[in-house]
Amino acid sequence: MASIQGFRGHAMVGARSTAAIRFQGSFLRVGIARIAFSSVETPLNKFGSLKSSSRMEPPQACNSTVALPLLSISEVTERLRAFHESGARNQEYMAMYSSIVGGVTTHPAAMVIPMDDHMVHRGHGIFDTAAIMDGHLYELDQHLDRFLRSASMAKIDPPFDRSTMRSILIETVSISKCTHGSLRYWLSAGPGDFQLTPSGCTGPAFYAVVIRVHSLPSPSGCKVVTSTIPMKPQQFSIMKSTNYLPNVLSKMEAEEKGAYVGIWLDEEGFVAEGPNMNVAFVSKQKALIMPNFDKILSGCTAKRVLALADRLMADGRLTGVRVGNVTVEEGKKAEEMMLIGSGVIVKPVLQWDDQFIGDGKEGPIAQALYDLIVEDMKSGPTTVRIPVSY
Protein backbone atom coordinates (compact mmCIF):
# COMPACT_ATOMS: atom_id res chain seq x y z
CA MET A 1 0.00 0.00 0.00
CA ALA A 2 1.09 3.57 -0.59
CA SER A 3 2.27 5.48 2.44
CA ILE A 4 1.58 9.17 3.14
CA GLN A 5 5.22 10.29 3.12
CA GLY A 6 6.20 8.16 0.18
CA PHE A 7 5.36 4.96 -1.57
CA ARG A 8 7.15 1.65 -1.34
CA GLY A 9 7.94 -0.22 -4.46
CA HIS A 10 9.63 -0.46 -7.81
CA ALA A 11 8.39 -0.21 -11.36
CA MET A 12 7.12 -3.39 -12.96
CA VAL A 13 7.78 -3.95 -16.59
CA GLY A 14 4.96 -3.23 -19.02
CA ALA A 15 4.40 0.53 -19.14
CA ARG A 16 0.92 1.44 -20.36
CA SER A 17 1.95 4.48 -22.39
CA THR A 18 5.04 6.38 -23.45
CA ALA A 19 5.68 9.99 -24.45
CA ALA A 20 8.79 11.54 -26.01
CA ILE A 21 9.77 14.99 -24.73
CA ARG A 22 12.40 17.19 -26.38
CA PHE A 23 14.87 18.39 -23.76
CA GLN A 24 17.89 20.52 -24.69
CA GLY A 25 18.25 18.92 -28.09
CA SER A 26 17.75 15.31 -26.93
CA PHE A 27 14.71 13.24 -26.15
CA LEU A 28 13.57 11.96 -22.79
CA ARG A 29 11.17 9.05 -23.00
CA VAL A 30 8.74 8.93 -20.11
CA GLY A 31 6.96 5.67 -19.42
CA ILE A 32 3.88 5.59 -17.22
CA ALA A 33 4.19 2.28 -15.40
CA ARG A 34 2.28 0.29 -12.83
CA ILE A 35 3.85 0.18 -9.37
CA ALA A 36 4.28 -2.99 -7.32
CA PHE A 37 4.76 -2.02 -3.70
CA SER A 38 7.55 -3.87 -1.93
CA SER A 39 10.22 -3.10 0.65
CA VAL A 40 12.13 -0.38 -1.24
CA GLU A 41 10.97 3.09 -0.21
CA THR A 42 11.11 5.93 -2.73
CA PRO A 43 10.59 9.27 -0.96
CA LEU A 44 8.14 11.92 -2.06
CA ASN A 45 8.76 15.59 -1.77
CA LYS A 46 6.34 17.72 0.24
CA PHE A 47 4.06 18.14 -2.77
CA GLY A 48 3.58 14.40 -3.11
CA SER A 49 5.59 13.94 -6.31
CA LEU A 50 8.70 11.90 -6.96
CA LYS A 51 12.03 13.43 -6.06
CA SER A 52 13.78 13.69 -9.40
CA SER A 53 17.15 13.00 -7.81
CA SER A 54 15.99 9.62 -6.50
CA ARG A 55 14.36 8.34 -9.68
CA MET A 56 15.96 10.06 -12.66
CA GLU A 57 19.41 10.72 -14.10
CA PRO A 58 20.08 13.54 -16.57
CA PRO A 59 18.46 12.66 -19.91
CA GLN A 60 21.19 10.85 -21.83
CA ALA A 61 19.30 7.92 -23.30
CA CYS A 62 15.92 7.62 -24.96
CA ASN A 63 14.87 4.73 -22.72
CA SER A 64 15.00 6.70 -19.46
CA THR A 65 11.76 6.22 -17.54
CA VAL A 66 10.05 7.53 -14.44
CA ALA A 67 7.50 5.40 -12.64
CA LEU A 68 4.27 7.12 -11.65
CA PRO A 69 1.72 5.56 -9.31
CA LEU A 70 -1.88 5.23 -10.47
CA LEU A 71 -3.82 6.54 -7.47
CA SER A 72 -7.35 5.78 -6.41
CA ILE A 73 -9.60 8.65 -5.38
CA SER A 74 -9.11 7.66 -1.73
CA GLU A 75 -5.32 7.76 -2.16
CA VAL A 76 -5.53 11.17 -3.82
CA THR A 77 -7.66 12.42 -0.92
CA GLU A 78 -5.18 11.02 1.59
CA ARG A 79 -2.23 12.64 -0.16
CA LEU A 80 -4.03 15.97 -0.31
CA ARG A 81 -4.62 15.66 3.42
CA ALA A 82 -0.94 14.85 3.98
CA PHE A 83 0.08 17.81 1.83
CA HIS A 84 -2.01 20.13 3.98
CA GLU A 85 -0.73 18.65 7.24
CA SER A 86 2.88 18.92 6.06
CA GLY A 87 2.81 22.66 6.72
CA ALA A 88 3.13 23.62 3.06
CA ARG A 89 0.37 26.18 3.55
CA ASN A 90 0.90 29.21 5.76
CA GLN A 91 -2.71 30.30 6.19
CA GLU A 92 -5.59 28.74 8.12
CA TYR A 93 -8.45 27.84 5.78
CA MET A 94 -11.56 27.46 7.91
CA ALA A 95 -14.27 26.76 5.32
CA MET A 96 -14.91 26.72 1.58
CA TYR A 97 -18.14 27.00 -0.36
CA SER A 98 -18.32 25.68 -3.92
CA SER A 99 -21.31 25.86 -6.21
CA ILE A 100 -19.84 22.82 -8.02
CA VAL A 101 -20.57 20.60 -5.01
CA GLY A 102 -23.39 22.77 -3.71
CA GLY A 103 -22.16 23.08 -0.15
CA VAL A 104 -19.45 23.93 2.37
CA THR A 105 -16.47 21.92 3.57
CA THR A 106 -14.26 22.64 6.56
CA HIS A 107 -11.56 20.17 5.45
CA PRO A 108 -8.71 22.07 3.74
CA ALA A 109 -7.73 18.99 1.71
CA ALA A 110 -11.14 19.13 0.03
CA MET A 111 -10.89 22.83 -0.83
CA VAL A 112 -10.21 22.31 -4.53
CA ILE A 113 -11.64 23.44 -7.86
CA PRO A 114 -11.70 21.66 -11.24
CA MET A 115 -8.54 22.03 -13.32
CA ASP A 116 -10.63 22.80 -16.42
CA ASP A 117 -12.32 25.74 -14.71
CA HIS A 118 -11.67 28.69 -17.04
CA MET A 119 -10.58 30.78 -14.06
CA VAL A 120 -7.62 28.40 -13.72
CA HIS A 121 -6.37 28.06 -17.28
CA ARG A 122 -7.68 31.27 -18.90
CA GLY A 123 -7.89 33.72 -16.02
CA HIS A 124 -11.57 34.19 -16.82
CA GLY A 125 -12.81 34.97 -13.34
CA ILE A 126 -13.27 37.77 -10.85
CA PHE A 127 -12.97 37.97 -7.08
CA ASP A 128 -13.38 40.16 -4.05
CA THR A 129 -13.01 40.06 -0.30
CA ALA A 130 -14.35 41.26 3.04
CA ALA A 131 -12.74 41.41 6.47
CA ILE A 132 -14.20 39.51 9.43
CA MET A 133 -13.91 41.47 12.66
CA ASP A 134 -15.47 40.44 15.98
CA GLY A 135 -18.02 38.23 14.22
CA HIS A 136 -19.02 40.89 11.70
CA LEU A 137 -18.33 41.19 7.99
CA TYR A 138 -16.84 44.59 7.22
CA GLU A 139 -18.06 46.38 4.08
CA LEU A 140 -19.50 43.19 2.59
CA ASP A 141 -22.15 45.06 0.62
CA GLN A 142 -19.66 47.55 -0.78
CA HIS A 143 -17.35 44.76 -1.90
CA LEU A 144 -20.24 42.71 -3.28
CA ASP A 145 -21.40 45.67 -5.40
CA ARG A 146 -17.90 45.95 -6.89
CA PHE A 147 -17.85 42.17 -7.37
CA LEU A 148 -20.98 42.34 -9.51
CA ARG A 149 -19.61 45.27 -11.53
CA SER A 150 -16.50 43.22 -12.23
CA ALA A 151 -18.65 40.24 -13.23
CA SER A 152 -20.50 42.36 -15.76
CA MET A 153 -17.25 43.67 -17.25
CA ALA A 154 -15.87 40.11 -17.43
CA LYS A 155 -19.09 38.91 -19.12
CA ILE A 156 -19.83 36.31 -16.45
CA ASP A 157 -23.46 35.90 -15.41
CA PRO A 158 -23.61 34.87 -11.72
CA PRO A 159 -25.38 31.57 -11.01
CA PHE A 160 -27.38 33.26 -8.23
CA ASP A 161 -28.91 36.65 -7.62
CA ARG A 162 -27.19 39.14 -5.32
CA SER A 163 -29.31 38.29 -2.29
CA THR A 164 -28.56 34.57 -2.58
CA MET A 165 -24.82 35.13 -3.00
CA ARG A 166 -24.83 37.42 0.01
CA SER A 167 -26.59 34.77 2.10
CA ILE A 168 -24.15 32.09 0.93
CA LEU A 169 -21.18 34.23 1.98
CA ILE A 170 -22.61 35.00 5.42
CA GLU A 171 -23.57 31.36 6.01
CA THR A 172 -20.12 30.15 4.94
CA VAL A 173 -18.54 32.41 7.56
CA SER A 174 -21.06 31.14 10.11
CA ILE A 175 -20.18 27.50 9.41
CA SER A 176 -16.46 28.32 9.65
CA LYS A 177 -16.84 29.60 13.25
CA CYS A 178 -14.24 32.22 12.35
CA THR A 179 -14.75 35.55 14.11
CA HIS A 180 -11.52 37.25 12.96
CA GLY A 181 -10.17 36.81 9.48
CA SER A 182 -10.89 37.29 5.83
CA LEU A 183 -13.60 36.15 3.44
CA ARG A 184 -12.52 35.73 -0.19
CA TYR A 185 -14.88 34.84 -2.98
CA TRP A 186 -14.64 34.18 -6.71
CA LEU A 187 -16.92 33.97 -9.73
CA SER A 188 -15.55 32.01 -12.67
CA ALA A 189 -16.73 31.25 -16.19
CA GLY A 190 -16.87 27.69 -14.91
CA PRO A 191 -15.44 24.26 -15.75
CA GLY A 192 -16.09 22.25 -18.88
CA ASP A 193 -13.08 22.24 -21.20
CA PHE A 194 -9.71 23.79 -22.02
CA GLN A 195 -10.96 25.97 -24.85
CA LEU A 196 -10.61 29.75 -24.99
CA THR A 197 -14.23 30.89 -24.58
CA PRO A 198 -16.71 29.49 -22.05
CA SER A 199 -19.21 28.41 -24.74
CA GLY A 200 -18.62 24.76 -23.81
CA CYS A 201 -18.67 25.29 -20.03
CA THR A 202 -21.37 23.86 -17.81
CA GLY A 203 -22.05 27.32 -16.40
CA PRO A 204 -20.44 29.89 -14.06
CA ALA A 205 -19.10 28.74 -10.71
CA PHE A 206 -19.12 30.57 -7.37
CA TYR A 207 -16.53 29.87 -4.68
CA ALA A 208 -15.76 31.31 -1.25
CA VAL A 209 -13.02 30.65 1.31
CA VAL A 210 -12.79 31.80 4.93
CA ILE A 211 -9.26 32.41 6.23
CA ARG A 212 -8.51 32.89 9.91
CA VAL A 213 -6.27 35.87 10.71
CA HIS A 214 -5.09 36.32 14.28
CA SER A 215 -4.01 39.95 14.16
CA LEU A 216 -4.45 43.11 12.14
CA PRO A 217 -1.65 44.27 9.82
CA SER A 218 0.88 46.54 11.46
CA PRO A 219 0.93 50.22 10.45
CA SER A 220 4.72 50.17 10.20
CA GLY A 221 6.49 52.21 7.55
CA CYS A 222 7.88 50.82 4.31
CA LYS A 223 9.83 51.66 1.17
CA VAL A 224 8.32 51.63 -2.33
CA VAL A 225 9.81 51.88 -5.81
CA THR A 226 8.45 52.99 -9.17
CA SER A 227 7.38 49.84 -10.99
CA THR A 228 8.82 49.09 -14.42
CA ILE A 229 6.21 46.38 -15.02
CA PRO A 230 3.58 47.75 -17.43
CA MET A 231 0.30 48.69 -15.76
CA LYS A 232 -2.84 46.97 -17.00
CA PRO A 233 -4.89 49.01 -19.50
CA GLN A 234 -7.91 50.82 -18.09
CA GLN A 235 -10.45 48.20 -19.20
CA PHE A 236 -8.74 45.63 -16.97
CA SER A 237 -7.31 47.83 -14.21
CA ILE A 238 -10.80 48.90 -13.06
CA MET A 239 -11.96 45.26 -12.93
CA LYS A 240 -11.00 42.96 -10.05
CA SER A 241 -10.20 39.94 -12.19
CA THR A 242 -8.10 36.91 -11.26
CA ASN A 243 -5.55 37.85 -13.95
CA TYR A 244 -2.99 39.29 -11.52
CA LEU A 245 0.27 38.41 -13.28
CA PRO A 246 1.31 42.08 -13.77
CA ASN A 247 0.51 42.71 -10.10
CA VAL A 248 2.57 39.71 -9.01
CA LEU A 249 5.56 40.69 -11.17
CA SER A 250 5.39 44.27 -9.90
CA LYS A 251 5.45 43.07 -6.29
CA MET A 252 8.29 40.62 -7.00
CA GLU A 253 10.30 43.34 -8.72
CA ALA A 254 9.90 45.59 -5.68
CA GLU A 255 10.97 42.85 -3.27
CA GLU A 256 14.04 42.15 -5.39
CA LYS A 257 14.96 45.82 -4.93
CA GLY A 258 14.48 45.67 -1.17
CA ALA A 259 11.12 47.47 -1.24
CA TYR A 260 7.63 46.53 -0.11
CA VAL A 261 5.72 47.17 -3.36
CA GLY A 262 6.02 48.97 -6.68
CA ILE A 263 4.01 52.06 -7.55
CA TRP A 264 2.42 52.21 -10.98
CA LEU A 265 2.19 55.35 -13.08
CA ASP A 266 -0.51 55.71 -15.72
CA GLU A 267 0.17 56.35 -19.42
CA GLU A 268 0.28 60.10 -18.75
CA GLY A 269 2.84 59.71 -15.99
CA PHE A 270 0.49 60.41 -13.07
CA VAL A 271 0.55 58.30 -9.90
CA ALA A 272 -1.88 55.37 -10.24
CA GLU A 273 -1.80 52.63 -7.57
CA GLY A 274 0.13 49.77 -6.02
CA PRO A 275 -0.24 46.13 -7.07
CA ASN A 276 -3.13 45.49 -4.66
CA MET A 277 -3.69 48.73 -2.82
CA ASN A 278 -4.43 52.40 -3.41
CA VAL A 279 -2.02 55.26 -2.72
CA ALA A 280 -2.67 58.50 -0.84
CA PHE A 281 -0.63 61.56 0.13
CA VAL A 282 -0.75 64.37 2.66
CA SER A 283 0.49 67.65 1.19
CA LYS A 284 2.54 70.18 3.10
CA GLN A 285 -0.70 72.18 3.35
CA LYS A 286 -2.23 69.18 5.23
CA ALA A 287 -4.61 68.16 2.44
CA LEU A 288 -5.31 64.44 1.86
CA ILE A 289 -4.82 63.67 -1.83
CA MET A 290 -5.74 60.47 -3.65
CA PRO A 291 -5.38 59.62 -7.39
CA ASN A 292 -8.51 59.47 -9.55
CA PHE A 293 -10.32 56.13 -9.65
CA ASP A 294 -11.11 56.30 -13.37
CA LYS A 295 -8.02 54.29 -14.42
CA ILE A 296 -7.47 52.17 -11.33
CA LEU A 297 -9.42 49.80 -9.11
CA SER A 298 -12.05 51.53 -7.04
CA GLY A 299 -10.77 50.65 -3.57
CA CYS A 300 -13.47 50.08 -0.97
CA THR A 301 -11.10 50.80 1.93
CA ALA A 302 -9.75 53.89 0.14
CA LYS A 303 -13.27 55.25 -0.33
CA ARG A 304 -14.04 54.59 3.32
CA VAL A 305 -10.87 56.48 4.27
CA LEU A 306 -12.08 59.45 2.22
CA ALA A 307 -15.38 59.41 4.12
CA LEU A 308 -13.77 59.09 7.56
CA ALA A 309 -11.20 61.80 6.77
CA ASP A 310 -13.94 64.35 7.37
CA ARG A 311 -13.35 63.80 11.09
CA LEU A 312 -9.75 64.91 10.72
CA MET A 313 -10.93 68.00 8.87
CA ALA A 314 -13.38 68.75 11.67
CA ASP A 315 -10.63 68.79 14.29
CA GLY A 316 -8.17 70.69 12.09
CA ARG A 317 -5.65 67.93 11.43
CA LEU A 318 -6.53 68.06 7.72
CA THR A 319 -7.35 71.15 5.70
CA GLY A 320 -9.08 69.35 2.86
CA VAL A 321 -9.57 66.16 0.83
CA ARG A 322 -8.94 65.97 -2.90
CA VAL A 323 -9.22 63.20 -5.53
CA GLY A 324 -7.40 64.03 -8.76
CA ASN A 325 -4.21 63.73 -10.76
CA VAL A 326 -1.04 63.44 -8.70
CA THR A 327 2.39 63.93 -10.30
CA VAL A 328 5.42 61.94 -9.18
CA GLU A 329 7.12 65.16 -8.10
CA GLU A 330 4.09 66.14 -6.01
CA GLY A 331 3.96 62.69 -4.44
CA LYS A 332 7.62 62.55 -3.53
CA LYS A 333 7.51 66.02 -2.00
CA ALA A 334 4.45 65.19 0.12
CA GLU A 335 4.49 65.41 3.90
CA GLU A 336 3.14 61.87 4.13
CA MET A 337 2.51 58.98 1.75
CA MET A 338 0.52 55.85 2.49
CA LEU A 339 -0.81 52.61 0.99
CA ILE A 340 -4.49 51.85 1.59
CA GLY A 341 -6.31 48.54 1.14
CA SER A 342 -8.05 45.73 2.99
CA GLY A 343 -4.77 43.79 3.22
CA VAL A 344 -2.75 46.61 4.77
CA ILE A 345 -5.51 48.95 6.06
CA VAL A 346 -3.28 52.07 6.09
CA LYS A 347 0.48 51.57 5.74
CA PRO A 348 2.86 54.57 5.83
CA VAL A 349 5.49 54.94 3.10
CA LEU A 350 8.78 56.33 4.36
CA GLN A 351 10.76 56.24 1.12
CA TRP A 352 9.91 56.22 -2.59
CA ASP A 353 12.86 55.22 -4.76
CA ASP A 354 15.76 57.32 -3.41
CA GLN A 355 13.52 60.04 -1.96
CA PHE A 356 12.50 60.05 1.70
CA ILE A 357 8.89 61.13 2.28
CA GLY A 358 8.66 64.02 4.74
CA ASP A 359 11.06 63.37 7.59
CA GLY A 360 11.33 59.68 6.70
CA LYS A 361 9.18 58.60 9.66
CA GLU A 362 5.59 57.38 10.11
CA GLY A 363 3.30 60.40 10.01
CA PRO A 364 0.39 61.31 12.30
CA ILE A 365 -2.27 61.37 9.55
CA ALA A 366 -1.52 57.81 8.39
CA GLN A 367 -1.76 56.61 11.99
CA ALA A 368 -5.00 58.55 12.54
CA LEU A 369 -6.58 57.09 9.41
CA TYR A 370 -5.47 53.58 10.42
CA ASP A 371 -7.08 54.07 13.83
CA LEU A 372 -10.29 55.38 12.25
CA ILE A 373 -10.63 52.35 9.96
CA VAL A 374 -9.94 49.88 12.80
CA GLU A 375 -12.50 51.68 14.98
CA ASP A 376 -14.96 51.53 12.08
CA MET A 377 -14.35 47.79 11.69
CA LYS A 378 -15.08 47.24 15.38
CA SER A 379 -17.95 49.64 16.02
CA GLY A 380 -18.99 51.29 12.77
CA PRO A 381 -22.58 51.69 11.53
CA THR A 382 -24.70 48.82 10.24
CA THR A 383 -24.05 50.00 6.68
CA VAL A 384 -20.49 48.68 6.97
CA ARG A 385 -20.84 45.93 9.63
CA ILE A 386 -22.95 42.82 8.93
CA PRO A 387 -23.40 40.54 11.98
CA VAL A 388 -22.81 36.80 11.52
CA SER A 389 -24.82 34.28 13.55
CA TYR A 390 -22.62 31.43 14.74
Side-chain angles (χ1 to χ4, degrees):
M1 292 295 292
S3 66
I4 299 305
Q5 294 77 17
F7 64 87
R8 302 178 181 275
H10 58 273
M12 293 185 66
V13 207
R16 296 194 305 278
S17 63
T18 322
I21 303 173
R22 186 176 298 276
F23 182 80
Q24 294 181 346
S26 62
F27 284 87
L28 170 64
R29 192 167 296 278
V30 180
I32 302 176
R34 294 183 185 275
I35 303 299
F37 297 104
S38 63
S39 60
V40 181
E41 183 170 19
T42 301
L44 297 176
N45 65 22
K46 69 178 182 179
F47 300 107
S49 60
L50 286 164
K51 288 183 177 178
S52 59
S53 60
S54 64
R55 300 295 290 179
M56 293 180 63
E57 297 297 329
Q60 298 175 351
C62 292
N63 60 355
S64 299
T65 60
V66 57
L68 299 176
L70 177 61
L71 303 174
S72 67
I73 189 168
S74 60
E75 289 173 315
V76 170
T77 302
E78 184 65 12
R79 291 189 179 206
L80 286 172
R81 183 190 64 78
F83 168 75
H84 173 72
E85 293 178 353
S86 71
R89 290 169 166 147
N90 58 12
Q91 290 185 311
E92 292 185 66
Y93 305 134
M94 306 303 294
M96 175 184 177
Y97 167 82
S98 168
S99 64
I100 300 295
V101 299
V104 176
T105 180
T106 57
H107 298 283
M111 297 179 187
V112 296
I113 67 174
M115 188 65 194
D116 64 348
D117 190 307
H118 280 228
M119 183 169 70
V120 175
H121 64 87
R122 297 299 178 191
H124 195 176
I126 56 101
F127 76 104
D128 223 301
T129 183
I132 307 167
M133 172 64 74
D134 295 335
H136 290 72
L137 279 161
Y138 184 65
E139 288 204 301
L140 174 63
D141 288 316
Q142 291 79 358
H143 283 273
L144 192 52
D145 288 341
R146 184 176 64 182
F147 182 76
L148 293 174
R149 290 196 299 272
S150 294
S152 176
M153 288 185 278
K155 295 187 176 181
I156 305 175
D157 293 325
F160 313 108
D161 60 26
R162 186 189 188 282
S163 176
T164 301
M165 286 192 294
R166 186 179 187 272
S167 296
I168 288 171
L169 295 174
I170 295 173
E171 182 63 16
T172 301
V173 176
S174 175
I175 292 172
S176 76
K177 306 299 183 186
C178 178
T179 58
H180 293 83
S182 174
L183 169 68
R184 291 179 174 268
Y185 44 101
W186 297 261
L187 179 65
S188 83
D193 56 35
F194 288 96
Q195 301 302 317
L196 189 59
T197 74
S199 58
C201 292
T202 57
F206 184 46
Y207 308 107
V209 172
V210 178
I211 306 167
R212 174 178 286 162
V213 178
H214 294 281
S215 60
L216 291 171
S218 168
S220 57
C222 67
K223 174 186 175 181
V224 300
V225 292
T226 303
S227 179
T228 67
I229 304 300
M231 182 180 170
K232 287 184 282 191
Q234 180 182 18
Q235 180 180 357
F236 301 104
S237 62
I238 63 174
M239 179 197 319
K240 201 168 177 69
S241 78
T242 55
N243 195 332
Y244 256 44
L245 184 56
N247 311 62
V248 172
L249 294 178
S250 178
K251 171 75 166 167
M252 291 178 68
E253 176 191 48
E255 292 176 348
E256 289 165 1
K257 294 179 178 179
Y260 183 65
V261 294
I263 300 298
W264 270 322
L265 309 180
D266 66 22
E267 70 277 6
E268 297 179 84
F270 293 114
V271 179
E273 60 182 345
N276 61 341
M277 67 279 289
N278 293 100
V279 187
F281 304 89
V282 178
S283 70
K284 295 189 182 301
Q285 293 74 37
K286 301 300 181 184
L288 180 67
I289 307 171
M290 205 173 289
N292 281 316
F293 293 108
D294 57 345
K295 298 178 183 178
I296 60 176
L297 189 68
S298 178
C300 294
T301 306
K303 288 189 170 182
R304 190 62 182 160
V305 162
L306 291 173
L308 295 174
D310 286 346
R311 300 183 190 179
L312 302 186
M313 290 178 59
D315 64 17
R317 281 181 282 179
L318 283 177
T319 60
V321 174
R322 175 172 70 86
V323 176
N325 290 331
V326 182
T327 66
V328 174
E329 181 182 13
E330 183 181 11
K332 289 185 175 182
K333 289 184 176 180
E335 191 74 17
E336 292 186 44
M337 177 179 179
M338 62 201 78
L339 306 172
I340 301 173
S342 57
V344 296
I345 304 182
V346 177
K347 189 174 185 66
V349 174
L350 310 185
Q351 182 179 346
W352 182 2
D353 293 330
D354 296 327
Q355 176 72 48
F356 285 103
I357 305 299
D359 60 5
K361 299 178 182 179
E362 289 91 346
I365 300 301
Q367 182 63 57
L369 292 173
Y370 177 92
D371 293 341
L372 284 172
I373 288 290
V374 172
E375 179 188 358
D376 201 46
M377 294 172 74
K378 293 181 176 181
S379 58
T382 56
T383 53
V384 296
R385 296 179 76 244
I386 308 299
V388 177
S389 299
Y390 295 94

